[in-house]
Amino acid sequence: MVNIKWEELGFDYIKTPFRYISHWTNGQWDDGVLTEENTITINEGSTCLHYGQECFEGLKAYRREDGQINLFRPDENAKRLNKSAARMQMPEVPAEMFINAVKQVVKANEEYVPPFGTGATLYLRPYLIGVGPNIGIMPASEYIFSVFCMPVGPYFKGGLTPSNFVVSEYDRAAPYGTGAAKVGGNYAASLLPGQIAHDRSFSDCIYLDPATHTKIEEVGSANFFGITHDNQFITPKSPSILPSITKYSLLYLAQERFGLEALEGDVRLDELDKFAEAGACGTAAIIAPIAGMQNGEDFHVFYSETEIGPMTKKLYDELVGIQFGTVEAPEGWVIEV
């Protein structure tokens, strides 16, 4: 029996018994295996170490009230991994292989899937890296695809408690660069500005569009959304934003379940007054309400510094209910392990 205080979990690494690993050599993937070894040995010339030829994903497994386990839209994670892989000149991981690997890892580590009602989940991290004896700036000839997992609590410590963010003077990605791919370089670029934000007692940074610095793009490692006073659900649109599966799920739910006009478009700094509520969304964060936003000397409050906005709460409850199986899911959104 696993001895974990589920309600006290943060978003930290915990070694679980099994992970999946597959190797790509001679132009094809092997069958892949489950292993108990949580380290990998790679050649010192591996492209992932020198040239950033790697990408990764994040998704969760959810314990239902009846004890069964759900995956939420893993096919979309497979698609996004392959878009990132194409951007990094790496081989595709077939969707069937991706989902099968995820299922194997969940089943093998089932005792680490937190109980229903604790608010905790099993976080899964698939990754794809270029390996082998390389030195030139070119795609690797060998690759590793792996999936590991751990139980986690909320990504932001406050959970659904609104918190404050600060506009960063740094960019997380270049215009038409790798911002839309889930690659490590984007996150490496966010470490320093994130630390600066934390040192100033903010939850994280808000990044502006790298071309003009006049529009909101992302919130830390999550996507931004705002709900206007006239019932529009708006998320930023840009070629340097990571296409969040949570964001697109919320766009659908906002329109189809709650009758909001859902759209992707510009979120200009000089038009923040039109938003009644705002938040950050992503697999890890789910939804983190944004209380206020510091931009230079200006501090803008959205709904409240202490309370979650009513529509944000409805969207959160709907999405989490779908994930945990207490709310009916749109067709194809949930796969039982």
Side-chain angles (χ1 to χ4, degrees), residues 44-57:
E44 62 190 350
S46 293
T47 57
C48 64
L49 299 176
H50 304 281
Y51 307 125
Q53 198 188 23
E54 59 81 47
C55 62
F56 66 99
E57 273 300 318

Side-chain angles (χ1 to χ4, degrees), residues 4 11 27 40 51 53 71-72 85 95 104 130 138 148 155-156 160 170 177 225 234 249 257 267 309 312-313 327 337:
I4 293 176
F11 200 84
I40 58 173
Y51 307 125
Q53 198 188 23
L71 294 173
F72 181 72
Q104 285 189 50
M138 63 185 68
F148 64 97
Y155 184 77
F156 290 112
L160 268 185
Y170 291 89
F225 71 86
I234 302 176
S249 300
R257 299 272 171 103
V267 178
T312 301
K313 181 65 164 62
V327 173
V337 175

Side-chain angles (χ1 to χ4, degrees), residues 73-103:
R73 309 190 76 178
D75 54 319
E76 293 298 322
N77 291 97
K79 290 177 187 176
R80 190 171 65 180
L81 181 83
N82 285 323
K83 287 181 180 177
S84 298
R87 181 65 177 84
M88 294 292 108
Q89 289 286 280
M90 296 193 289
E92 178 178 287
V93 177
E96 184 179 357
M97 174 182 169
F98 179 98
I99 295 172
N100 179 54
V102 168
K103 284 184 174 181

